[in-house]
Structure formats: structure tokens, C-alpha cells
Amino acid sequence: MESIWHQTSAAAPRPPLEEDLSAEAAVIGGGMAGILTAALLEEAGVRTVVLEADRVGSGQTGNTTAKVTSQHGDCYRRLEERLGAEAAVQYAGAGQEAVEAFRQLIRRRRLDCAWEELPAYLYALSPRSSLEEEAAAQQRAGLPVRLTRKTGLPFPVKEALRCDGQGQLHPLRLLHALSRELTVYEGARVLAAEGDRLHTAGGSVRAERIIFACHFPFVNMPGYYFLRMHQERSYVLALSGAPALPGMYYSVDPGGLSLRTAQGLLLAGGGGHRTGENRSGGAYASLARSAGLLFPGVREAARWSAQDCMTLDGVPYIGPFSSSAPGWYVATGFGKWGMTGSMASALLLRDLILGRRSPWAELFSPQRFTPAASAASLLDNGLHAARDLGRLPLTAARGPAQALPPGHGGIVEAGGRKMGVYKTAEGTLYAVDPRCPHMGCQLEWNPDEESWDCPCHGSRFDCRGRLLSGPAQKGLSGEKL
């Protein structure tokens, strides 16, 4: 299940870290946020090192739909209600500046990344949907939007909200082009962060400034990000046989689709759910049915999934990691808008590190807490964690391991213990400890991805227990039965 971005881009491997060294800044994570931040810091004369656990772009950047837009769904009306009109203006300004920064960076460096300037649309098919209030909120925030029914889609819409001057790109081509000019170490998973030093299996880096751009911070304290975020998965199909679309599209209907064209294929995204809550599966099948109704005759060319960090109030955490960790910074919680979130992070963190003022610093501050906007989400995250931390000793195994159908996994009895077991199509059983090594939550089997997913904080592992994504820092203990 490899994205079309991975299928159509490649980069020479970078060396692992095999010594102790020092730099002015060290970035943890070789995705879009980390590479952009490092690139802007280097441009400003700050000597920067990037430490990537796997390969550059191997995380969430390689699974995005790569829309570069400040029109983040229908969020502006909610932003006004929760955080106030000025916050919505600042959020829109950050998004628009991020779009322009992409445009200028690509032109200035002549980067070959399939950049296209296109309008973005919110669209509604349901007669119960209304975009009028959202349109007014986006206009008050300063976005160049207007209501229309002319979208370029091959089917009629009830209404749509068009935002001009946005763009789309090939994320890995951009990432690989930028990273060639940077000091990057691959296979350099950071195992511990202590003061101004980062430790990996092969060596350490000492830096005055440390930036956590690793999707979900793996350090629990200080910061307590595990209490202030959860992760959600969503799914993408690349489909042939559809007409090229003259824009980027995001449905405001329940269960609606995100749409764009890339490399002659239609990218249809949707099916989102909280990580670890997809026990029944069928996300790709449901997505295919929805796309087939709107684009009859399309055929699947590729499929993949993405994962997004969701903050308490819907605004990313960008800035100082914690008041008790001087010199540490973080960029996380981009929701489903990682491209503009990554660039906004790079711009803001560069300014903070250089001692410049930023109009967005307070809005994105990781130290903020707005009770009206955050209390309900904080309680919900806490209830999920409490439920899943206590679930393993209190719930019964779902039958014996041998009863699993081929190609399925589940929490079952194996050798007198409750284990997470996957049965291959040939009948081989792979058993793992079903407790997430991050904080001990019970994992759940995701049949669409054939992975063990943590419903508390979103760590994921393959069927043999190998770590796929954090905040966990190690895989699961397991055995072949």
C-alpha cells in the first residue's frame, strides 16, 4: 500500500549517525515540517542537523494528498466561536503566508515538484448543508473566497465556496530536492533527549536549539502532549478513468470526499476515524463505493492511508516545547492540513530562533489553554486513555488463536495468555504483546492496514510487532506460534 508519491520519486540514501557532533540547531524528523524548518534555518545562517529515524519522507509526508491551502475545511466559523475573530484572522494570515512561502521557495530554487496554482473549494451535495455562514467567516478572516455553484466537478453541487490562489504539489519531490542541500542522517532514531543533547544508537548531537518535528512528540514530560492530542487515520484511493479536475476539493457533507488530480489520477480521500477504532474494517471499500457513485467507471491504481495529530482546539502547537525545557521547540498537531502547517511551522520557528517577532506566536503557542475551546476535547482524550489503559486486564480474549480466519488478527488466547495474534493466508500465527510500549494501552487490530494500532495516542505496529509510527519508540515483543 504505497502512495503514488513513493512510487514516482527516489533519493539516494543518507548516512547513519556514527559519531558525536555539535550544531547550532538539531531537527528531529525528516518530513515536510522538519526539512522546511532546517532549510529556512540554514538559509538564515544557522548550522542545522536533521535526524530521521528511517528515510526522508518515510512518515506522514509521503502519505498526504499535498494540498497547499489556507482553506482548512469549514473551520473558520468554529475558530471565531471558540477562540475569537482575531484568532481566525491570524490563522488565515498564517495559512496564506505559508501558501505564498511555498510559491516563492519553489520559484527561487527552481524546484521540480509538480507545483500547480489552483483554486480550493469546499463543496456540499446535501440539501441540509449550508456554506453561507462559513463563507462569511472566511471573508471576515481575510481569505479570497466566494460562493459559487461552478466548480469544474463532473457532477452538480448544492453550493461551493471557492478560495483562489492556492496550490498543490508532489511532496516527496520537493522534500528530496530540499534535503540534498542539508546535513541529514537517516536511520538515526532519537532514543532520548536530555537538555541540549540528543542520543541515537550510533552517536549523539549537541545543539543549542532542538526542534521536535517528528509528528507526535515521543517525550511525555515536560509538555504532556500525550494528554493534549490524539491521532486519526484517513484513507486515499488513486483512481484512473476520471477527468482531470481544475481545482482541489473538500466535502463538508458527512462521509464526503477530498478530491484532487495528480499524475493523471484522481485522488479520493476520506473514511477518517480515531486511530485504533477500525475493528470492522472496510474503509477502502466504502471509499471506492463513494468515489464510484460520483465518478462512474473509475479503477483503483493505488491505495494508502495517512495519520494526523489532532489538538484540543484544532490549532497546531508550534513554538517552545515547554517552559521547563529551554531551547526545545515543537511543531505538531496539523490536523489534516500538514502542508500549510509545515510551512507555517518553519516560518514561525525560524523567527523564534532568530529572535524575531511573529504575529502568530501566541495563537500557535503550545503553552496556551483556552477552556472554552479545549476542555471537552481534553476530557474526551482522558476518557479514551483511561478506557484503553484498563481494558486489557478486564476484557476477555476473543476466542482461541486457531479460530482466527486466515488474513485476520485480534486479541485472542494463545498459550494461556491474552495475545495479539495475526494469522497469515497460509495459516502461520504471529503473536505480540498487545500493550503499547508508549504507555501500556491495549492495541487494536486494523484489518484495512493489517496493523496493530493504539487508540490512546496513535502508535502503530505491523503484524509481527515492528514499529511503524510513534510516539512509541520501540516495537512489540512477539513470537511465531
Side-chain angles (χ1 to χ4, degrees), residues 153-311:
L153 290 167
F155 49 82
V157 302
K158 178 181 180 289
E159 57 185 347
L161 182 59
R162 173 174 172 147
C163 183
D164 288 314
Q166 311 301 289
Q168 62 185 28
L169 49 72
H170 189 306
L172 293 188
R173 287 182 184 168
L174 174 67
L175 208 61
H176 292 152
L178 288 175
S179 64
R180 282 195 291 269
E181 308 300 321
L182 301 173
T183 302
V184 179
Y185 294 94
E186 294 183 330
R189 180 179 297 278
V190 175
L191 303 175
E194 298 174 336
D196 63 354
R197 193 176 294 274
L198 300 174
H199 300 277
T200 75
S204 65
V205 175
R206 187 171 186 175
E208 301 167 20
R209 309 294 184 183
I210 291 173
I211 299 102
F212 288 76
C214 48
H215 190 63
F216 195 119
F218 59 88
V219 175
N220 289 333
M221 295 176 286
Y224 297 92
Y225 291 95
F226 70 95
L227 290 175
R228 301 194 284 140
M229 288 196 302
H230 71 275
Q231 298 200 62
E232 294 185 2
R233 292 201 71 71
S234 56
Y235 301 83
V236 182
L237 293 177
L239 302 164
S240 62
L245 300 181
M248 305 171 291
Y249 305 85
Y250 186 89
S251 173
V252 298
D253 297 321
L257 300 180
S258 166
L259 303 166
R260 68 159 284 193
T261 297
Q263 301 179 61
L265 298 171
L266 171 70
L267 305 189
H273 61 82
R274 188 178 178 121
T275 303
E277 296 188 354
N278 185 36
R279 285 172 53 184
S280 59
Y284 288 115
S286 177
L287 196 57
R289 286 192 295 271
S290 297
L293 291 174
L294 298 177
F295 300 89
V298 292
R299 299 172 301 281
E300 181 179 321
R303 62 168 61 181
W304 66 93
S305 62
Q307 188 148 297
D308 299 290
C309 291
M310 318 299 288
T311 67

Side-chain angles (χ1 to χ4, degrees), residues 366-397:
Q367 278 71 59
R368 72 182 184 273
F369 181 73
T370 49
S374 304
S377 295
L378 181 63
L379 177 61
D380 184 58
N381 284 350
L383 291 173
H384 271 86
R387 180 198 67 187
D388 295 308
L389 279 165
R391 184 191 301 178
L392 190 64
L394 298 176
T395 56

Side-chain angles (χ1 to χ4, degrees), residues 293-375:
L293 291 174
L294 298 177
F295 300 89
V298 292
R299 299 172 301 281
E300 181 179 321
R303 62 168 61 181
W304 66 93
S305 62
Q307 188 148 297
D308 299 290
C309 291
M310 318 299 288
T311 67
L312 297 176
D313 58 9
V315 175
Y317 298 132
I318 309 168
F321 192 95
S322 168
S323 58
S324 61
W328 287 14
Y329 299 84
V330 68
T332 189
F334 302 150
K336 301 182 185 301
W337 306 101
M339 294 297 97
T340 41
S342 293
M343 181 61 86
S345 295
L347 295 168
L348 175 53
L349 294 177
R350 177 202 60 190
D351 288 348
L352 291 176
I353 288 171
L354 295 177
R356 301 173 181 170
R357 289 180 57 84
S358 170
W360 324 320
E362 184 177 352
L363 173 68
F364 292 120
S365 171
Q367 278 71 59
R368 72 182 184 273
F369 181 73
T370 49
S374 304

